[in-house]
Amino acid sequence: MEILIALFFLLSVTFPVLHLYHCLPWFREPNERVRRDPKLKKWMIDHGYEEEKGISILIPCYNETRILKTSIESMKELSYSLFEVIYINDGSTDDTMTYMKELLRLTPCPMSSISKLSHERVEGTYQSELYPNIYVIDKMNGGKADALNAGIEYASNDVIITLDADTILADNALSAVNDVMKDEDVVAAGGMVHVLQTKTNKPLNRLSLRFANMLVRVQVLDFLKAFYISKLSLVRFKALAVISGAFGIFRKQVLVDVGGYRKTIGEDIDITLRIHRYMAKFKNKRIGFIADAVGYTELPETWRDLTKQRLRWQKAYIDCVIHFRSFFGKTLFTKAVSFFYIFETFLVGTLASFVMTGIMLMNMLHDPQNSYLNYVFFYLFWLFVFGLVYDLVAIAIGRHYGFSFEWKESFRLISALTFDIFVYRFVTMYFVMYGSISYFFNRKWNKVKRTGRNYHTDSRHAT
Protein backbone atom coordinates (compact mmCIF):
# COMPACT_ATOMS: atom_id res chain seq x y z
CA MET A 1 0.00 0.00 0.00
CA GLU A 2 2.84 2.35 0.86
CA ILE A 3 4.39 1.72 -2.56
CA LEU A 4 1.08 2.56 -4.27
CA ILE A 5 0.76 5.79 -2.29
CA ALA A 6 4.35 6.75 -3.13
CA LEU A 7 3.74 6.00 -6.82
CA PHE A 8 0.67 8.20 -7.03
CA PHE A 9 2.41 10.94 -5.08
CA LEU A 10 5.32 10.93 -7.54
CA LEU A 11 2.94 10.98 -10.48
CA SER A 12 0.95 13.84 -8.98
CA VAL A 13 4.02 16.05 -8.54
CA THR A 14 5.88 15.12 -11.75
CA PHE A 15 3.76 17.12 -14.17
CA PRO A 16 3.40 20.26 -12.00
CA VAL A 17 7.16 20.30 -11.38
CA LEU A 18 7.74 19.90 -15.11
CA HIS A 19 5.45 22.84 -15.88
CA LEU A 20 7.04 24.96 -13.16
CA TYR A 21 10.39 24.47 -14.83
CA HIS A 22 9.25 24.70 -18.44
CA CYS A 23 7.23 27.93 -18.00
CA LEU A 24 10.35 29.90 -17.08
CA PRO A 25 11.48 32.61 -19.53
CA TRP A 26 14.61 30.62 -20.47
CA PHE A 27 12.43 28.28 -22.54
CA ARG A 28 10.61 31.02 -24.42
CA GLU A 29 10.36 30.32 -28.14
CA PRO A 30 11.62 32.98 -30.61
CA ASN A 31 8.13 33.89 -31.89
CA GLU A 32 6.37 33.66 -28.54
CA ARG A 33 6.26 37.40 -27.85
CA VAL A 34 6.18 40.16 -30.45
CA ARG A 35 6.49 43.39 -28.48
CA ARG A 36 7.08 46.61 -30.32
CA ASP A 37 6.54 50.26 -29.60
CA PRO A 38 2.82 50.95 -30.30
CA LYS A 39 3.58 54.33 -31.87
CA LEU A 40 6.14 52.81 -34.24
CA LYS A 41 3.71 50.04 -35.15
CA LYS A 42 0.94 52.57 -35.90
CA TRP A 43 3.33 54.68 -38.00
CA MET A 44 4.32 51.63 -40.05
CA ILE A 45 0.69 50.70 -40.65
CA ASP A 46 -0.33 54.26 -41.56
CA HIS A 47 2.52 54.52 -44.07
CA GLY A 48 1.91 51.14 -45.71
CA TYR A 49 4.94 49.30 -44.30
CA GLU A 50 2.79 46.88 -42.40
CA GLU A 51 -0.61 45.33 -42.99
CA GLU A 52 -3.44 44.82 -40.53
CA LYS A 53 -5.30 41.59 -41.09
CA GLY A 54 -9.06 41.70 -41.00
CA ILE A 55 -10.43 40.16 -37.80
CA SER A 56 -13.95 38.97 -37.01
CA ILE A 57 -14.95 38.84 -33.33
CA LEU A 58 -17.76 36.40 -32.55
CA ILE A 59 -19.74 36.81 -29.32
CA PRO A 60 -22.52 34.28 -28.72
CA CYS A 61 -25.28 35.59 -26.46
CA TYR A 62 -28.00 33.78 -24.55
CA ASN A 63 -29.88 35.89 -22.00
CA GLU A 64 -27.03 38.38 -21.63
CA THR A 65 -28.82 41.64 -20.85
CA ARG A 66 -26.80 41.99 -17.64
CA ILE A 67 -23.41 42.21 -19.36
CA LEU A 68 -24.20 43.46 -22.89
CA LYS A 69 -23.51 47.11 -22.20
CA THR A 70 -20.05 46.32 -20.79
CA SER A 71 -19.27 44.17 -23.83
CA ILE A 72 -20.37 46.77 -26.36
CA GLU A 73 -18.49 49.56 -24.57
CA SER A 74 -15.35 47.41 -24.77
CA MET A 75 -15.76 46.62 -28.47
CA LYS A 76 -16.32 50.20 -29.56
CA GLU A 77 -13.20 51.39 -27.74
CA LEU A 78 -10.77 49.09 -29.58
CA SER A 79 -8.33 51.10 -31.68
CA TYR A 80 -7.66 48.43 -34.34
CA SER A 81 -8.97 49.50 -37.72
CA LEU A 82 -9.95 46.35 -39.66
CA PHE A 83 -12.30 44.36 -37.48
CA GLU A 84 -15.95 43.49 -37.21
CA VAL A 85 -17.93 42.35 -34.18
CA ILE A 86 -20.75 39.83 -34.62
CA TYR A 87 -23.09 39.26 -31.72
CA ILE A 88 -25.07 36.03 -32.16
CA ASN A 89 -28.35 36.09 -30.28
CA ASP A 90 -28.98 32.40 -29.67
CA GLY A 91 -32.72 32.48 -29.18
CA SER A 92 -32.59 34.38 -25.89
CA THR A 93 -35.72 34.18 -23.77
CA ASP A 94 -35.13 37.52 -22.08
CA ASP A 95 -34.80 41.00 -23.63
CA THR A 96 -31.31 40.48 -25.09
CA MET A 97 -32.38 41.19 -28.67
CA THR A 98 -34.50 44.18 -27.69
CA TYR A 99 -31.66 45.56 -25.60
CA MET A 100 -29.19 45.20 -28.47
CA LYS A 101 -31.56 47.07 -30.76
CA GLU A 102 -31.66 49.92 -28.25
CA LEU A 103 -27.93 50.05 -27.55
CA LEU A 104 -26.79 49.63 -31.15
CA ARG A 105 -29.71 51.09 -33.11
CA LEU A 106 -29.91 48.07 -35.38
CA THR A 107 -31.21 48.03 -38.94
CA PRO A 108 -31.71 44.92 -41.09
CA CYS A 109 -28.85 44.25 -43.48
CA PRO A 110 -27.87 41.37 -45.80
CA MET A 111 -24.94 39.19 -44.70
CA SER A 112 -23.50 36.44 -46.88
CA SER A 113 -23.13 32.90 -45.57
CA ILE A 114 -20.61 30.31 -46.82
CA SER A 115 -23.14 27.48 -46.24
CA LYS A 116 -20.53 25.05 -44.92
CA LEU A 117 -21.54 24.54 -41.29
CA SER A 118 -24.89 23.45 -39.92
CA HIS A 119 -26.74 25.56 -37.36
CA GLU A 120 -30.25 26.49 -36.33
CA ARG A 121 -32.28 28.81 -38.53
CA VAL A 122 -31.20 32.46 -38.72
CA GLU A 123 -34.20 34.76 -38.42
CA GLY A 124 -32.46 38.01 -39.23
CA THR A 125 -29.14 39.82 -39.65
CA TYR A 126 -28.59 43.41 -38.56
CA GLN A 127 -26.02 46.19 -38.60
CA SER A 128 -25.55 48.97 -36.06
CA GLU A 129 -26.19 52.50 -37.26
CA LEU A 130 -24.02 53.86 -34.44
CA TYR A 131 -21.05 51.50 -34.97
CA PRO A 132 -21.04 50.20 -38.56
CA ASN A 133 -18.53 47.42 -37.78
CA ILE A 134 -20.91 45.80 -35.27
CA TYR A 135 -23.42 43.24 -36.55
CA VAL A 136 -26.05 41.04 -34.92
CA ILE A 137 -27.28 37.62 -36.01
CA ASP A 138 -30.65 36.65 -34.55
CA LYS A 139 -31.19 32.89 -34.65
CA MET A 140 -33.16 30.05 -33.11
CA ASN A 141 -31.69 28.55 -29.96
CA GLY A 142 -29.14 25.82 -30.53
CA GLY A 143 -26.53 26.27 -27.82
CA LYS A 144 -23.17 28.01 -27.74
CA ALA A 145 -21.48 25.71 -30.28
CA ASP A 146 -24.36 26.19 -32.70
CA ALA A 147 -24.21 29.97 -32.27
CA LEU A 148 -20.46 29.97 -32.98
CA ASN A 149 -21.02 27.93 -36.13
CA ALA A 150 -23.52 30.52 -37.33
CA GLY A 151 -21.00 33.27 -36.57
CA ILE A 152 -18.29 31.47 -38.56
CA GLU A 153 -20.69 31.14 -41.47
CA TYR A 154 -21.28 34.89 -41.63
CA ALA A 155 -17.83 36.15 -40.63
CA SER A 156 -16.15 38.07 -43.45
CA ASN A 157 -12.51 37.87 -42.29
CA ASP A 158 -9.90 35.11 -42.31
CA VAL A 159 -8.99 35.48 -38.63
CA ILE A 160 -11.72 34.79 -36.09
CA ILE A 161 -11.72 35.62 -32.39
CA THR A 162 -14.31 33.98 -30.15
CA LEU A 163 -15.24 35.67 -26.89
CA ASP A 164 -17.69 35.01 -24.10
CA ALA A 165 -20.25 37.75 -23.66
CA ASP A 166 -18.57 38.78 -20.41
CA THR A 167 -15.09 39.07 -21.94
CA ILE A 168 -13.65 42.48 -22.70
CA LEU A 169 -10.38 43.07 -24.54
CA ALA A 170 -7.48 45.33 -23.68
CA ASP A 171 -6.81 47.93 -26.36
CA ASN A 172 -3.67 46.21 -27.66
CA ALA A 173 -5.21 42.74 -27.95
CA LEU A 174 -6.10 42.80 -31.65
CA SER A 175 -2.73 44.28 -32.58
CA ALA A 176 -0.97 41.47 -30.69
CA VAL A 177 -3.17 38.92 -32.46
CA ASN A 178 -2.33 40.49 -35.82
CA ASP A 179 1.41 40.20 -35.14
CA VAL A 180 1.21 36.48 -34.37
CA MET A 181 -1.30 35.51 -37.06
CA LYS A 182 0.99 36.87 -39.78
CA ASP A 183 2.72 33.51 -39.40
CA GLU A 184 0.63 31.23 -41.62
CA ASP A 185 1.79 28.16 -39.67
CA VAL A 186 -0.14 29.36 -36.60
CA VAL A 187 -3.63 27.93 -37.12
CA ALA A 188 -5.04 28.89 -33.73
CA ALA A 189 -3.99 30.52 -30.47
CA GLY A 190 -5.17 31.32 -27.00
CA GLY A 191 -5.20 34.79 -25.54
CA MET A 192 -4.20 35.73 -22.00
CA VAL A 193 -7.28 35.92 -19.77
CA HIS A 194 -7.36 37.85 -16.50
CA VAL A 195 -10.24 38.24 -14.07
CA LEU A 196 -12.61 41.08 -14.86
CA GLN A 197 -13.28 41.80 -11.20
CA THR A 198 -9.56 42.70 -10.81
CA LYS A 199 -9.39 45.08 -13.79
CA THR A 200 -8.04 48.56 -13.01
CA ASN A 201 -7.62 51.78 -14.96
CA LYS A 202 -4.22 50.35 -15.99
CA PRO A 203 -5.46 47.17 -17.71
CA LEU A 204 -2.07 46.26 -19.21
CA ASN A 205 -0.01 46.14 -16.06
CA ARG A 206 -2.01 46.41 -12.85
CA LEU A 207 -4.46 44.03 -11.14
CA SER A 208 -6.35 44.75 -7.94
CA LEU A 209 -7.98 42.48 -5.36
CA ARG A 210 -9.50 45.41 -3.50
CA PHE A 211 -13.11 44.85 -4.57
CA ALA A 212 -12.89 41.08 -5.04
CA ASN A 213 -14.34 38.73 -2.45
CA MET A 214 -12.29 35.75 -1.23
CA LEU A 215 -13.82 33.37 -3.74
CA VAL A 216 -12.83 35.63 -6.63
CA ARG A 217 -9.35 36.18 -5.19
CA VAL A 218 -8.60 32.48 -5.06
CA GLN A 219 -9.82 32.11 -8.64
CA VAL A 220 -7.40 34.87 -9.60
CA LEU A 221 -4.58 32.64 -8.34
CA ASP A 222 -6.14 29.76 -10.25
CA PHE A 223 -6.07 31.73 -13.50
CA LEU A 224 -2.50 32.94 -12.95
CA LYS A 225 -1.38 29.33 -12.49
CA ALA A 226 -3.43 28.07 -15.43
CA PHE A 227 -2.23 30.68 -17.93
CA TYR A 228 1.26 31.69 -16.81
CA ILE A 229 2.41 28.20 -15.83
CA SER A 230 0.34 25.42 -17.38
CA LYS A 231 -0.61 26.99 -20.71
CA LEU A 232 2.82 28.54 -21.28
CA SER A 233 4.48 25.19 -20.64
CA LEU A 234 1.99 23.13 -22.65
CA VAL A 235 2.15 25.37 -25.71
CA ARG A 236 5.94 24.99 -25.71
CA PHE A 237 5.45 21.21 -25.65
CA LYS A 238 2.88 21.60 -28.48
CA ALA A 239 0.37 20.06 -26.10
CA LEU A 240 -2.14 22.84 -25.38
CA ALA A 241 -5.49 21.04 -25.23
CA VAL A 242 -7.71 23.97 -24.24
CA ILE A 243 -7.99 27.30 -26.02
CA SER A 244 -10.17 29.13 -23.55
CA GLY A 245 -13.70 29.84 -24.73
CA ALA A 246 -13.34 33.24 -23.08
CA PHE A 247 -10.71 34.32 -25.63
CA GLY A 248 -9.74 32.13 -28.58
CA ILE A 249 -8.13 32.97 -31.93
CA PHE A 250 -8.60 30.81 -35.04
CA ARG A 251 -8.20 30.81 -38.78
CA LYS A 252 -11.65 30.64 -40.33
CA GLN A 253 -10.68 28.06 -42.94
CA VAL A 254 -9.33 25.72 -40.25
CA LEU A 255 -12.61 25.96 -38.31
CA VAL A 256 -14.48 25.10 -41.50
CA ASP A 257 -12.09 22.25 -42.35
CA VAL A 258 -12.58 20.57 -38.96
CA GLY A 259 -16.36 20.81 -39.30
CA GLY A 260 -16.92 23.69 -36.91
CA TYR A 261 -17.99 23.26 -33.31
CA ARG A 262 -19.60 20.08 -31.99
CA LYS A 263 -22.63 20.44 -29.75
CA THR A 264 -21.11 19.40 -26.45
CA ILE A 265 -20.76 20.54 -22.87
CA GLY A 266 -17.19 21.79 -23.45
CA GLU A 267 -16.89 23.27 -26.90
CA ASP A 268 -13.54 24.97 -26.19
CA ILE A 269 -11.69 21.73 -25.37
CA ASP A 270 -13.43 19.93 -28.22
CA ILE A 271 -12.50 22.46 -30.92
CA THR A 272 -8.88 22.57 -29.72
CA LEU A 273 -8.56 18.79 -29.93
CA ARG A 274 -10.25 18.79 -33.34
CA ILE A 275 -7.61 21.22 -34.53
CA HIS A 276 -4.83 19.02 -33.09
CA ARG A 277 -6.27 16.10 -35.04
CA TYR A 278 -6.34 18.28 -38.14
CA MET A 279 -2.73 19.41 -37.60
CA ALA A 280 -1.55 15.79 -37.48
CA LYS A 281 -1.75 15.86 -41.29
CA PHE A 282 0.70 18.75 -41.53
CA LYS A 283 4.30 19.10 -40.42
CA ASN A 284 4.73 22.72 -39.33
CA LYS A 285 1.23 23.81 -38.26
CA ARG A 286 0.91 24.75 -34.60
CA ILE A 287 -1.25 26.27 -31.89
CA GLY A 288 0.13 29.33 -30.12
CA PHE A 289 -0.45 31.28 -26.93
CA ILE A 290 -0.39 35.08 -27.17
CA ALA A 291 0.45 36.37 -23.71
CA ASP A 292 0.36 39.99 -24.93
CA ALA A 293 -3.21 39.66 -26.23
CA VAL A 294 -5.04 40.39 -22.99
CA GLY A 295 -8.69 39.92 -22.19
CA TYR A 296 -10.70 40.08 -18.98
CA THR A 297 -13.59 37.76 -18.15
CA GLU A 298 -16.03 37.76 -15.27
CA LEU A 299 -15.73 34.91 -12.77
CA PRO A 300 -18.36 33.49 -10.40
CA GLU A 301 -18.77 35.34 -7.12
CA THR A 302 -20.83 32.71 -5.28
CA TRP A 303 -20.15 29.08 -4.42
CA ARG A 304 -23.30 28.08 -6.27
CA ASP A 305 -22.15 29.59 -9.56
CA LEU A 306 -18.58 28.39 -9.10
CA THR A 307 -19.84 24.84 -8.60
CA LYS A 308 -21.90 25.04 -11.79
CA GLN A 309 -18.91 26.26 -13.78
CA ARG A 310 -16.30 23.84 -12.44
CA LEU A 311 -18.54 20.79 -12.69
CA ARG A 312 -19.22 21.69 -16.32
CA TRP A 313 -15.48 22.03 -16.97
CA GLN A 314 -14.80 18.60 -15.48
CA LYS A 315 -17.63 17.03 -17.45
CA ALA A 316 -16.10 18.54 -20.59
CA TYR A 317 -12.75 16.86 -19.85
CA ILE A 318 -14.42 13.48 -19.43
CA ASP A 319 -16.53 13.99 -22.56
CA CYS A 320 -13.42 14.64 -24.65
CA VAL A 321 -11.57 11.63 -23.21
CA ILE A 322 -14.43 9.49 -24.52
CA HIS A 323 -15.04 11.32 -27.79
CA PHE A 324 -11.36 11.47 -28.80
CA ARG A 325 -10.38 8.05 -27.41
CA SER A 326 -9.41 6.76 -30.86
CA PHE A 327 -7.17 9.77 -31.56
CA PHE A 328 -5.57 9.54 -28.11
CA GLY A 329 -4.99 5.81 -28.49
CA LYS A 330 -3.28 6.13 -31.86
CA THR A 331 -1.10 9.10 -30.90
CA LEU A 332 -0.51 8.54 -27.17
CA PHE A 333 3.27 8.36 -27.57
CA THR A 334 3.63 10.31 -30.82
CA LYS A 335 1.66 13.51 -30.07
CA ALA A 336 2.41 15.54 -26.97
CA VAL A 337 -1.19 16.70 -26.62
CA SER A 338 -2.40 13.08 -26.31
CA PHE A 339 0.32 12.17 -23.81
CA PHE A 340 -0.37 15.12 -21.52
CA TYR A 341 -4.16 14.87 -21.81
CA ILE A 342 -4.26 11.19 -20.85
CA PHE A 343 -1.44 11.00 -18.33
CA GLU A 344 -1.70 14.44 -16.72
CA THR A 345 -5.33 15.48 -17.07
CA PHE A 346 -7.03 12.10 -16.92
CA LEU A 347 -4.80 9.71 -14.96
CA VAL A 348 -3.16 12.15 -12.54
CA GLY A 349 -5.75 14.92 -12.50
CA THR A 350 -8.85 12.74 -12.31
CA LEU A 351 -8.27 9.05 -11.52
CA ALA A 352 -5.60 9.78 -8.92
CA SER A 353 -8.15 11.82 -6.94
CA PHE A 354 -10.37 8.76 -6.61
CA VAL A 355 -7.47 6.40 -5.88
CA MET A 356 -5.85 8.59 -3.22
CA THR A 357 -9.19 9.29 -1.53
CA GLY A 358 -10.01 5.57 -1.56
CA ILE A 359 -6.62 4.66 -0.07
CA MET A 360 -7.04 7.25 2.67
CA LEU A 361 -10.53 6.03 3.59
CA MET A 362 -9.47 2.37 3.63
CA ASN A 363 -6.49 3.11 5.87
CA MET A 364 -8.60 5.20 8.21
CA LEU A 365 -10.99 2.28 8.65
CA HIS A 366 -8.18 -0.17 9.43
CA ASP A 367 -5.89 2.12 11.45
CA PRO A 368 -7.69 5.41 12.10
CA GLN A 369 -5.14 7.20 14.28
CA ASN A 370 -1.99 6.48 12.28
CA SER A 371 -3.70 6.93 8.92
CA TYR A 372 -4.99 10.31 9.95
CA LEU A 373 -1.57 11.49 11.09
CA ASN A 374 0.15 10.09 7.99
CA TYR A 375 -2.34 11.83 5.76
CA VAL A 376 -1.94 15.15 7.60
CA PHE A 377 1.85 15.06 7.31
CA PHE A 378 1.66 14.01 3.68
CA TYR A 379 -0.75 16.81 2.81
CA LEU A 380 1.21 19.46 4.73
CA PHE A 381 4.33 18.51 2.82
CA TRP A 382 2.46 18.90 -0.43
CA LEU A 383 0.98 22.22 0.65
CA PHE A 384 3.99 24.08 1.94
CA VAL A 385 6.79 22.65 -0.15
CA PHE A 386 4.90 22.59 -3.40
CA GLY A 387 1.48 24.26 -3.38
CA LEU A 388 2.77 27.55 -2.01
CA VAL A 389 5.70 27.54 -4.42
CA TYR A 390 3.30 27.03 -7.33
CA ASP A 391 1.23 30.06 -6.32
CA LEU A 392 4.28 32.26 -5.81
CA VAL A 393 5.85 31.28 -9.13
CA ALA A 394 2.57 32.08 -10.92
CA ILE A 395 2.53 35.56 -9.36
CA ALA A 396 6.20 36.05 -10.30
CA ILE A 397 5.69 34.96 -13.92
CA GLY A 398 2.69 37.27 -14.13
CA ARG A 399 4.92 40.11 -12.95
CA HIS A 400 7.49 39.14 -15.60
CA TYR A 401 4.77 39.58 -18.24
CA GLY A 402 3.93 42.99 -16.85
CA PHE A 403 1.05 42.27 -14.46
CA SER A 404 1.45 42.94 -10.78
CA PHE A 405 -0.36 43.85 -7.59
CA GLU A 406 0.46 46.84 -5.43
CA TRP A 407 2.37 46.20 -2.21
CA LYS A 408 -0.61 47.34 -0.18
CA GLU A 409 -2.44 44.27 -1.55
CA SER A 410 0.00 41.94 0.21
CA PHE A 411 -2.41 41.01 2.99
CA ARG A 412 -5.15 40.20 0.48
CA LEU A 413 -2.73 38.03 -1.48
CA ILE A 414 -1.52 36.22 1.63
CA SER A 415 -5.08 35.55 2.77
CA ALA A 416 -5.95 34.25 -0.70
CA LEU A 417 -2.88 31.98 -0.68
CA THR A 418 -3.88 30.61 2.71
CA PHE A 419 -7.46 30.03 1.59
CA ASP A 420 -6.21 28.34 -1.58
CA ILE A 421 -3.97 25.95 0.34
CA PHE A 422 -6.25 24.97 3.22
CA VAL A 423 -9.73 25.18 1.68
CA TYR A 424 -9.93 25.67 -2.05
CA ARG A 425 -7.79 22.67 -3.01
CA PHE A 426 -10.12 20.33 -1.15
CA VAL A 427 -13.06 21.92 -2.95
CA THR A 428 -11.46 21.50 -6.38
CA MET A 429 -10.90 17.81 -5.62
CA TYR A 430 -14.64 17.56 -4.96
CA PHE A 431 -15.35 19.29 -8.29
CA VAL A 432 -13.13 16.80 -10.11
CA MET A 433 -14.64 13.71 -8.49
CA TYR A 434 -18.28 14.78 -8.51
CA GLY A 435 -18.05 16.23 -12.03
CA SER A 436 -16.50 13.04 -13.39
CA ILE A 437 -19.30 10.90 -11.98
CA SER A 438 -22.17 13.27 -12.77
CA TYR A 439 -21.09 13.46 -16.44
CA PHE A 440 -22.69 10.06 -16.97
CA PHE A 441 -26.01 11.15 -15.47
CA ASN A 442 -26.40 14.85 -16.23
CA ARG A 443 -24.82 16.69 -19.16
CA LYS A 444 -26.96 19.79 -18.88
CA TRP A 445 -25.24 23.14 -19.50
CA ASN A 446 -25.70 25.13 -16.28
CA LYS A 447 -25.34 28.82 -17.08
CA VAL A 448 -23.52 30.97 -14.55
CA LYS A 449 -25.38 34.10 -13.52
CA ARG A 450 -23.82 37.41 -14.59
CA THR A 451 -23.37 40.12 -11.97
CA GLY A 452 -24.91 42.86 -14.10
CA ARG A 453 -22.11 45.21 -13.14
CA ASN A 454 -20.97 47.81 -15.69
CA TYR A 455 -17.19 47.58 -15.44
CA HIS A 456 -16.70 50.73 -17.48
CA THR A 457 -18.53 52.94 -15.00
CA ASP A 458 -18.58 51.11 -11.68
CA SER A 459 -15.62 51.81 -9.45
CA ARG A 460 -16.65 48.97 -7.18
CA HIS A 461 -16.27 45.35 -8.23
CA ALA A 462 -17.07 42.12 -6.40
CA THR A 463 -17.76 42.84 -2.75
Side-chain angles (χ1 to χ4, degrees), residues 226-243:
F227 283 86
Y228 285 130
I229 295 180
S230 298
K231 288 185 184 294
L232 268 180
S233 175
L234 287 170
V235 80
R236 291 168 183 174
F237 280 121
K238 296 180 173 56
L240 183 63
V242 187
I243 295 175

Side-chain angles (χ1 to χ4, degrees), residues 197 209-217 301-302 451 453 459-463:
Q197 286 96 326
L209 300 176
R210 181 182 178 188
F211 299 114
N213 64 22
M214 183 57 74
L215 191 57
V216 173
R217 291 175 190 176
E301 298 182 0
T302 66
T451 65
R453 194 176 298 113
S459 59
R460 202 160 179 263
H461 296 336
T463 57

Side-chain angles (χ1 to χ4, degrees), residues 52-70:
E52 281 189 342
K53 283 182 172 291
I55 296 175
S56 295
I57 301 175
L58 308 183
I59 305 177
C61 301
Y62 179 74
N63 294 351
E64 299 289 4
T65 53
R66 284 174 164 263
I67 201 71
L68 265 177
K69 188 172 183 180
T70 295

Side-chain angles (χ1 to χ4, degrees), residues 180-232:
V180 172
M181 298 306 282
K182 288 175 183 176
D183 184 347
E184 294 298 326
D185 286 333
V186 178
V187 298
M192 177 62 218
V193 180
H194 284 293
V195 179
L196 187 54
Q197 286 96 326
T198 66
K199 182 176 176 289
T200 67
N201 58 2
K202 298 179 179 178
L204 290 177
N205 54 43
R206 182 71 67 188
L207 303 173
S208 174
L209 300 176
R210 181 182 178 188
F211 299 114
N213 64 22
M214 183 57 74
L215 191 57
V216 173
R217 291 175 190 176
V218 78
Q219 290 177 84
V220 171
L221 293 176
D222 228 11
F223 266 52
L224 291 175
K225 289 180 285 188
F227 283 86
Y228 285 130
I229 295 180
S230 298
K231 288 185 184 294
L232 268 180

Side-chain angles (χ1 to χ4, degrees), residues 31-38 41 45 50-53 55 78-81 159 161 169-183 186 189-192 204 247 249 251 288-295 403:
N31 57 353
E32 193 169 290
R33 298 190 79 186
V34 184
R35 301 193 71 180
R36 293 180 295 158
D37 183 83
K41 186 187 297 186
I45 292 171
E50 190 169 320
E51 179 186 2
E52 281 189 342
K53 283 182 172 291
I55 296 175
L78 296 174
S79 59
Y80 197 81
S81 58
V159 175
I161 290 177
L169 297 179
D171 188 57
N172 74 324
L174 299 188
S175 180
V177 168
N178 181 62
D179 288 339
V180 172
M181 298 306 282
K182 288 175 183 176
D183 184 347
V186 178
M192 177 62 218
L204 290 177
F247 185 8
I249 303 107
R251 294 200 185 276
F289 174 63
I290 312 174
D292 295 319
V294 177
F403 286 87

